[in-house]
C-alpha cells in the first residue's frame, strides 16, 4: 500500500514522532525526512554543517532557521515531484513553517496534514531518558517500554552494540521542552488556521497511535 499525502509530524521531544515516522515509511511506502537524523549524521561525519551545529544539538537549543531551511530545501529538491513525504522534526518555528509552504507551492504541491502527537510533560522525561538504539541498524528501544526480545541483542539485525543520543539526558530534555513550548508550539495555530491540524493522544500504545495516524491518512 502507498500513501501519497504529505504530512508534518509535530509534538514534543520524545512524543513518538520518529517511531511513528519509521513505521509509516516502511508500511505505507512514504518518504521519511527527519532533520534531527540529518543533523546527527552531519555531526558524526564532522562535515562543515556538523561542526557548526554540534554544540547546539548537545545543549538542546534550536539550529538557526537559515541553516535548517537550506537543509530541507536541498532534500526536497532531491526528491523532485515525489509524494508521500513525512516531515519529522521540521518545521520547528513559524518562519520554518512559512518557508516550507513556499517550497511546496513552488512545486505545485502542498502539506495535507499537520499531525500533532500530544504527550504530557511528566511522561516525556521518562520516555526520553530510557531510549537507546542499535548502533548497527538504528532500531530504537526503551529500557522500560520496548526492550530487545533477547537482552543485549538487536531484534532486527542481531547486533550487540547499542547507543544513546547525547542529548537524551534530563538537563537537555528540559531545554528541548522549553524550546518546544516557546518556538514550536506557535506553529500549531498556524496549521489550525489552514484547516490542516489533527491532534492525536500520544500517551498511548505506539500501535494505537499508529492506527490513528493511518486512519487519518487513508480518509
Ligand atoms: P530531533 O531528533 O528532532 O529531536 O532533533 C534533535 C536536535 O536537532 C534538536 O534538539 C535541535 O537542536 C536540532 N533540530 C532538529 N530539527 C530542527 C529544526 N527544524 N530547527 C532547529 N533545530 C532542529
Amino acid at each position: 500500500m502507498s500513501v501519497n499525502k504529505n504530512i508534518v509530524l509535530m509534538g514534543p521531544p520524545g512524543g513518538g514522532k520518529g517511531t511513528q515516522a519509521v513505521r509509516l515509511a516502511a508500511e505505507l511506502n512514504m518518504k521519511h525526512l527527519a532533520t534531527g537524523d540529518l543533523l546527527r549524521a552531519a555531526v558524526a561525519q564532522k562535515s562543515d554543517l556538523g561542526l557548526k551545529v554540534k554544540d547546539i544539538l548537545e545543549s538542546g537549543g534550536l539550529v538557526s532557521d537559515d541553516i535548517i531551511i537550506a537543509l530541507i530545501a536541498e532534500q526536497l529538491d532531491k526528491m523532485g515531484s515525489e509524494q508521500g513525504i513525512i516531515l519529522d522534526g521540521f518545521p520547528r518555528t513559524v518562519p520554518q513553517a512559512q518557508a516550507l509552504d513556499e517550497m511546496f507551492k513552488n512545486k505545485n504541491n502542498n502539506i495535507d496534514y499537520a499531525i500533532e502527537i500530544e504527550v504530557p510533560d511528566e511522561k516525556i522525561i521518562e520516555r526520553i531518558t530510557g531510549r537507546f538504539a542499535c548502533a548497527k541498524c538504528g532500531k530504537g528501544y526503551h529500557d522500560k517500554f520496548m526492550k530487545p526480545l533477547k537482552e543485549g541483542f538487536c531484534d532486527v539485525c542481531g547486533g550487540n552494540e547499542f547507543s544513546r543520543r547525547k542529548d537524551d539526558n534530563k538537563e537537555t530534555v528540559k531545554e528541548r521542552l522549553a524550546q518546544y513550548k516557546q518556538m514550536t508550539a506557535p506553529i500549531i495555530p498556524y496549521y489550525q488556521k489552514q484547516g490542516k491540524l489533527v491532534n492525536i493522544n500520544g500517551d498511548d500504545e505506539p500501535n494505537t497511535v499508529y492506527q490513528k495516524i493511518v486512519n487519518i491518512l487513508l480518509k
Side-chain angles (χ1 to χ4, degrees), residues 113-147:
Y113 296 112
I115 300 177
E116 185 199 5
I117 304 177
E118 295 173 301
V119 179
D121 281 8
E122 62 272 18
K123 298 283 172 79
I124 299 286
I125 295 189
E126 185 182 36
R127 279 196 185 198
I128 291 199
T129 53
R131 61 186 191 182
F132 62 100
C134 171
K136 201 167 152 200
C137 75
K139 164 85 177 86
Y141 294 99
H142 193 281
D143 292 325
K144 196 164 159 192
F145 308 124
M146 210 197 292
K147 295 182 186 172

Side-chain angles (χ1 to χ4, degrees), residues 13-14 17 34-37 39-40 53 56-65 68 72 88-93 96 131 165 167-168 172 176:
K17 299 185 295 290
T35 39
D37 289 350
L39 294 170
R40 278 185 292 279
V53 302
I56 304 173
L57 259 68
E58 282 178 18
S59 70
L62 289 186
V63 172
S64 75
D65 285 341
I68 288 286
I72 282 286
D88 161 11
F90 180 93
R92 258 178 160 100
T93 64
Q96 290 180 19
R131 61 186 191 182
R165 274 172 54 171
D167 59 346
D168 278 353
T172 310
R176 284 156 67 197

Side-chain angles (χ1 to χ4, degrees), residues 16 19 52-53 55 60 62 73 91 95 100 117-118 131 137 144 148 169 184 186-187 199:
T19 304
K52 254 189 232 164
V53 302
D55 291 348
L62 289 186
L100 183 67
I117 304 177
E118 295 173 301
R131 61 186 191 182
C137 75
K144 196 164 159 192
N169 61 72
T184 309
I187 63 179
N199 305 88

